[in-house]
Structures are given as C-alpha cells and as structure tokens.
Amino acid sequence: MMRIFLFLATNVAVLAVISVVFRLLGVDSVLRESGGIDMGALLIMAAIIGFSGSLISLFLSKTMAKRSMGVAIIEQPSTPFERWLMDTVARQSERAGIRMPEVGIFDSPQPNAFATGWNRNDALVAVSTGLVRHMSEDEVAAVVGHEISHVANGDMVTLTLIQGVVNTFVIFLARIIGHIVDRVILKNERGYGVGYFVTSIVAQLLLSILASMIVMWFSRYREFRADAGGASLTSRHQMADALRALQRVHEPQDLPAEEFAAFGISGKIGEGFAALFRSHPPLEKRIAALEQSPV
C-alpha cells in the first residue's frame, strides 16, 4: 500500500513540476489562449488508461504464467528433486521474510526461471526443465534465491507501477502536444481536428519508445539487486557459478512467453542502441558486480 501511495504521490509531484515548467516556458498561456486544457482532469484520465492495463496484468500474472508457460505446479513432490526444490524454496522464503510461493516446473530446453505474482506473499516461482538438466543443485539453489529476492523486493509490483507511471505521462504529454499542434499551429478553432488525433498518435508512439527505455533500465537494475539477494540467500560464489553456467550453455534467450521476458533469470542481450530495450544486463557485467560485492 505504501508503494502505491508513493507512486501516486510521484504522479502528483511530476504534474506540479510540469506545471511550473510550462509556466516558465509560457506554454500554460499558450494552452489557455488556445482553448485551455484542464491538466488535472487530463492527468486523471491518462492515469486510468495508463495504469489499468498494467494492474490487470499484475493481478492475473500467476494465472497467465501458468497457462502461457505450461507451468506444472508441484502440489505433492513425486521425485527427490521436487522434494529438494520445495524444501529449498521454503527455506529461502523464510529467510527472505515472505510467505512460501507456489513452486512449479515448465518444459523448455532453455535454462531459465522466473517469479511472478501480484504481491510478495502470493507469488509463483518456476524453473525450466533446461535449467534442471544443465545446472547442479547448488547453481539451481542460487537461481531460486535470485527469484525469491525478486519476490521479496516487490519487483513485480514496482515494475508494474513504473510502467503505469510512464504510460500515464506518455498519454498525458501526447494529448498536450496534439492540442498545441491542432489549436496553435493549425489554428483549428472548432473541436479537435485530424491534426490533433494524428499528432497525438505519433507523439504517443515516440514517447512510448523513451518510456520503454526507462522501464527496461529499471528492469536491468533490479537484476543486479536480485543477484545480490540470491548471493545473500546462498553465497556469492554459488550465484556467480549459476550465472557462469548460463554463459556456458549458450546465448541467453528470453522466456518462451514474451510478456514474461523481464521476469526470467536471463534474457536476450542487445548491443549498442538495442541494449537500451533489453530487460537483462549482460551476464559478464552481473558476474563482475557480484565479484566486487562485499556479500
């Protein structure tokens, strides 16, 4: 609840900053003379649109993950590995101070794992069959620790709220740009014309590219935090070995379901400009960060 309050406060604070900037640049007088925009009402409308999709996805994330990834939930362990995995998740969850998540396995040749759920006490942690085949138990334990840290840090909720905030301001600013072009540049005085709608759509597309960079920057940042958390729940050596095991297998790939790519232990790595749109930093950088960490 406090996290949600802080993000709502962030929206209000950013609106206040935008109002001051608009006043200093004279944009507010231009808006007023061209028919005016109720920025408060516009922000509320943009927030409803911007947050609704993100929040719905968050609340349905476990159900969507189970169906799209084909996750088999372990109700009663039927193999020694399943028993070990359940015990490992239970032990690490207790140390991290969260309720035991659901535990599952999904069929994929790629070594990967993910955590999702709408809050830290109602989560899902799943590992791929490829991870089980290619890693030792110590390395799997470190990967599980990484995912438990994501849950304990509330990363799913935070990523959703950040996405909602940037969506809000993409919609908000695109509508203002559309208004200025339509009323000030094209001198349209009767309702909104084609210029407003075309400009708003183009501005929203361009601003969405910048918004994606912000969201993906946070996603990369939280991977370093989750690596540190996994190291604290196992050891720095184990966590680094798990990342090296991912390096040895092949080039990291996203999870099979694209909408959950940001939640995996690893993902595709881009170079140059493309790297700004990747949810995971290069494995060598993550290993270097661990080796320099005092954990």
Side-chain angles (χ1 to χ4, degrees), residues 81-278:
F81 173 79
E82 289 184 357
R83 167 53 59 193
W84 172 86
L85 182 62
M86 292 287 285
D87 290 343
T88 299
V89 173
R91 183 173 61 256
Q92 293 186 356
S93 299
E94 184 177 4
R95 287 188 59 192
I98 61 172
R99 190 176 300 165
M100 170 85 170
E102 287 187 272
V103 182
I105 299 175
F106 60 97
D107 186 25
S108 173
Q110 308 291 339
N112 220 322
F114 71 90
T116 191
W118 76 276
N119 73 59
R120 66 205 301 268
N121 290 313
D122 186 18
L124 164 68
V125 171
V127 300
S128 71
T129 52
L131 187 84
V132 177
R133 283 196 296 269
H134 292 292
M135 287 193 175
S136 67
E137 284 193 352
D138 279 353
E139 291 165 347
V140 174
V143 170
V144 170
H146 173 101
E147 301 304 333
I148 292 293
S149 296
H150 272 313
V151 176
N153 292 337
D155 284 343
M156 290 81 73
V157 176
T158 304
L159 191 63
T160 297
L161 292 174
I162 288 177
Q163 184 69 66
V165 168
V166 297
N167 287 347
T168 296
F169 286 101
V170 164
I171 295 167
F172 177 78
L173 293 174
R175 298 302 187 275
I176 289 179
I177 294 170
H179 176 93
I180 292 174
V181 170
D182 191 65
R183 294 293 179 84
V184 178
I185 298 176
L186 299 180
K187 306 294 183 182
N188 181 38
E189 297 179 355
R190 299 194 320 184
Y192 283 128
V194 174
Y196 169 80
F197 296 105
V198 172
T199 303
S200 295
I201 292 171
V202 172
Q204 190 163 324
L205 288 173
L206 294 176
L207 290 170
S208 294
I209 294 174
L210 297 176
S212 295
M213 292 182 186
I214 295 172
V215 175
M216 289 300 99
W217 171 85
F218 174 75
S219 180
R220 292 192 297 273
Y221 165 74
R222 74 193 185 121
E223 288 304 312
F224 289 112
R225 285 206 314 164
D227 287 341
S232 68
L233 291 173
T234 54
S235 72
R236 181 172 57 184
H237 177 72
Q238 271 182 257
M239 190 70 245
D241 279 351
L243 296 178
R244 290 190 185 96
L246 291 173
Q247 277 186 315
R248 287 195 302 270
V249 176
H250 43 59
E251 182 182 352
Q253 298 293 318
D254 287 338
L255 288 169
E258 186 177 346
E259 62 269 31
F260 293 100
F263 299 117
I265 178 68
S266 67
K268 286 183 179 178
I269 306 301
E271 296 182 357
F273 186 69
L276 298 175
F277 298 93
R278 294 304 184 192

Side-chain angles (χ1 to χ4, degrees), residues 21-123:
V21 172
F22 279 8
R23 188 165 303 152
L24 292 174
L25 297 177
V27 177
D28 61 332
S29 62
V30 172
L31 293 174
R32 189 166 52 251
E33 291 168 4
S34 61
I37 287 182
D38 185 339
M39 288 201 294
L42 177 59
L43 181 67
I44 291 172
M45 181 275 291
I48 291 172
I49 297 173
F51 275 93
S52 57
S54 296
L55 291 175
I56 290 171
S57 296
L58 175 65
F59 288 122
L60 295 178
S61 59
K62 282 207 322 183
T63 300
M64 291 168 61
K66 291 174 185 177
R67 291 181 179 178
S68 63
M69 302 287 294
V71 177
I73 300 299
I74 302 174
E75 302 288 353
Q76 293 293 331
S78 59
T79 66
F81 173 79
E82 289 184 357
R83 167 53 59 193
W84 172 86
L85 182 62
M86 292 287 285
D87 290 343
T88 299
V89 173
R91 183 173 61 256
Q92 293 186 356
S93 299
E94 184 177 4
R95 287 188 59 192
I98 61 172
R99 190 176 300 165
M100 170 85 170
E102 287 187 272
V103 182
I105 299 175
F106 60 97
D107 186 25
S108 173
Q110 308 291 339
N112 220 322
F114 71 90
T116 191
W118 76 276
N119 73 59
R120 66 205 301 268
N121 290 313
D122 186 18

